[in-house]
Amino acid sequence: MSNLINKIYWELREGGNIDSIDDFKTQILSYGNKQFIIDLLNFEIFIHRNAEAIFLKIPELWKDLSLNDWKEIILSIDRPKTYRAFMEVSAHFEDIKFLHNWLEIDSISLYKNISNLSESNRKSLDKNVEYLFGDTWKNWDLTEEFEDGTFCNPSYFKEAKMKLIAEGAKPL
């Protein structure tokens, strides 16, 4: 597991706020965007809210990913077989949530149409997908966080969505 992800985890756990993610931005982007997302979401104890914050603060991490990149990410996440949606806080589903909640891409049909998705991951997604989309900051009024630069410019969401749709993704 990456030392970088471990450092970020401990920084956020030890009282750091989401602004401390900015301190890691250069390192995150030099890691390799797709691989960083895979390693982050596979980090057993990384909290979903912190993973979402990384996505919201660093659009360079995902804005240029292709539909095939997202499919590879979905394939590469080892989703827990016994995940309990209202009791666990791991980031193992943040790829599916981010695509759905922020990029407004039909991530359910996306994962269902990946023929080589492991049966174990498919079952975990099927079991938990209905619970994944209600727990997001998007349901809150985050106008100030986007306006003051805490989070990225919302135009990145639309641009990424249009790119993925042009590549064959289904919009919500």
Side-chain angles (χ1 to χ4, degrees):
M1 188 49 58
S2 161
N3 288 334
L4 173 60
I5 294 170
N6 197 36
K7 279 192 241 178
I8 295 169
Y9 167 77
W10 283 104
E11 172 68 24
L12 294 172
R13 183 168 188 256
E14 294 299 320
N17 64 32
I18 60 172
D19 290 330
S20 63
I21 293 169
D22 291 333
D23 298 337
F24 295 101
K25 183 175 180 176
T26 302
Q27 293 174 64
I28 289 170
L29 295 176
S30 67
Y31 192 100
N33 297 1
K34 184 171 47 175
Q35 193 59 52
F36 178 82
I37 292 171
I38 291 167
D39 290 349
L40 175 71
L41 301 186
N42 276 322
F43 192 77
E44 196 62 36
I45 55 177
F46 210 89
I47 298 170
H48 66 86
R49 181 70 74 207
N50 291 340
E52 184 178 32
I54 290 171
F55 283 131
L56 294 176
K57 289 189 72 57
I58 307 177
E60 297 88 349
L61 186 60
W62 48 264
K63 71 181 183 69
D64 295 323
L65 293 179
S66 69
L67 187 57
N68 285 334
D69 290 333
W70 281 108
K71 287 177 181 179
E72 187 176 331
I73 290 167
I74 291 168
L75 278 166
S76 300
I77 306 304
D78 186 24
R79 315 217 189 246
K81 294 177 180 113
T82 58
Y83 186 81
R84 297 165 299 181
F86 296 111
M87 298 180 75
E88 309 222 13
V89 294
S90 74
H92 292 92
F93 297 95
E94 211 53 43
D95 53 336
I96 300 296
K97 284 173 58 178
F98 183 76
L99 284 166
H100 184 275
N101 290 335
W102 293 99
L103 300 186
E104 299 177 338
I105 294 296
D106 182 357
S107 57
I108 297 170
S109 69
L110 183 61
Y111 87 76
K112 286 188 180 276
N113 288 321
I114 298 175
S115 60
N116 55 340
L117 184 64
S118 74
E119 190 59 31
S120 140
N121 279 346
R122 189 175 305 282
K123 284 181 180 179
S124 185
L125 283 162
D126 287 344
K127 175 182 161 208
N128 292 294
V129 75
E130 67 184 274
Y131 306 112
L132 297 177
F133 305 127
D135 182 35
T136 178
W137 284 340
K138 192 169 184 182
N139 294 331
W140 300 358
D141 181 12
L142 297 175
T143 304
E144 185 176 328
E145 284 79 1
F146 285 106
E147 288 176 353
D148 73 4
T150 299
F151 293 142
C152 68
N153 184 325
S155 67
Y156 288 117
F157 302 129
K158 184 177 181 181
E159 291 168 14
K161 175 183 179 176
M162 301 318 297
K163 178 183 184 315
L164 294 174
I165 290 171
E167 294 175 8
K170 294 180 184 174
L172 291 179

